[in-house]
Amino acid sequence: KDVTLPEGSSYVWKHDDYGYYKASAYVSGANLPSESWLVSSEIDLSEAQNPVLNFDFVFNHLKGNKAEDFLQIKVSTDYTGNVESATWTEIIYDASQFNDTWDFIEQSIDLLQFKGQKITLAFAYESTDKCAPTVEIKNLSIRDKDSKYWDVCLFKEVPESEVAAQM
């Protein structure tokens, strides 16, 4: 959902050839102001006991700025197609490890406050004419942290004389 496209560009977010979601407003050698939201479809957490958002992402070309000044992660329970009219809750991610490299950093964010609800997730990117960092996101998933599945087989010992009868 593009709010403000950079001049000379038809997008901010794109799904690139590597399978990442990528945002940037660096166009023709210049940092340009923009605002664009990568918005999910509705996610049903009604069965989740302890939902956790997991993903890997990169921030590059920050030039000493803080990542959270250019990307916010938000959740809405009333999104209907318009990012400006929905109510959004910002969720905090660990931005302390970003240092202008192409190294992906794993993130895990607790979504327990949205347990039992239907949500929409958004990555809201905003750039300025001073800084238009590149953001890349991959391996995005929401899992139930407490859900553990074990393939368990139970056996009952049966005397050898009864094996044939039970078969």
Side-chain angles (χ1 to χ4, degrees):
K1 304 291 182 182
D2 295 314
V3 177
T4 306
L5 281 174
E7 186 177 323
S9 184
S10 60
Y11 64 89
V12 172
W13 283 102
K14 74 174 185 173
H15 193 255
D16 72 9
D17 295 337
Y18 299 105
Y20 309 153
Y21 289 98
K22 181 178 183 175
S24 180
Y26 186 76
V27 180
S28 300
N31 296 312
L32 298 175
S34 72
E35 181 181 354
S36 185
W37 295 49
L38 177 63
V39 181
S40 74
S41 55
E42 184 175 74
I43 302 164
D44 187 353
L45 299 179
S46 61
E47 301 290 323
Q49 296 303 307
N50 193 358
V52 176
L53 170 65
N54 297 298
F55 60 98
D56 301 327
F57 81 129
V58 155
F59 251 104
N60 205 342
H61 307 296
L62 276 168
K63 301 178 182 178
N65 294 295
K66 295 179 181 177
E68 58 266 30
D69 291 340
F70 299 94
L71 184 78
Q72 292 82 45
I73 303 172
K74 300 181 181 207
V75 175
S76 176
T77 57
D78 65 356
Y79 177 75
T80 58
N82 183 336
V83 295
E84 294 171 346
S85 65
T87 305
W88 295 97
T89 301
E90 187 173 342
I91 54 177
I92 305 302
Y93 61 93
D94 180 8
S96 66
Q97 299 175 8
F98 296 109
N99 56 3
D100 285 341
T101 71
W102 293 111
D103 297 331
F104 279 90
I105 307 292
E106 291 182 36
Q107 296 285 315
S108 186
I109 301 171
D110 185 349
L111 297 177
L112 188 58
Q113 65 183 323
F114 303 105
K115 173 183 169 180
Q117 299 179 58
K118 292 182 180 181
I119 65 168
T120 302
L121 178 66
F123 292 86
Y125 174 90
E126 202 166 340
S127 63
T128 68
D129 60 353
K130 304 278 187 261
C131 186
T134 300
V135 177
E136 292 181 349
I137 300 171
K138 69 177 184 175
N139 301 329
L140 183 64
S141 68
I142 295 179
R143 301 191 190 279
D144 198 335
K145 185 168 97 175
D146 295 334
S147 177
K148 300 203 179 357
Y149 177 79
W150 297 96
D151 188 8
V152 178
C153 297
L154 300 177
F155 294 94
K156 177 182 174 189
E157 283 199 39
V158 179
E160 196 170 321
S161 61
E162 295 180 30
V163 171
Q166 292 206 10
M167 294 178 89

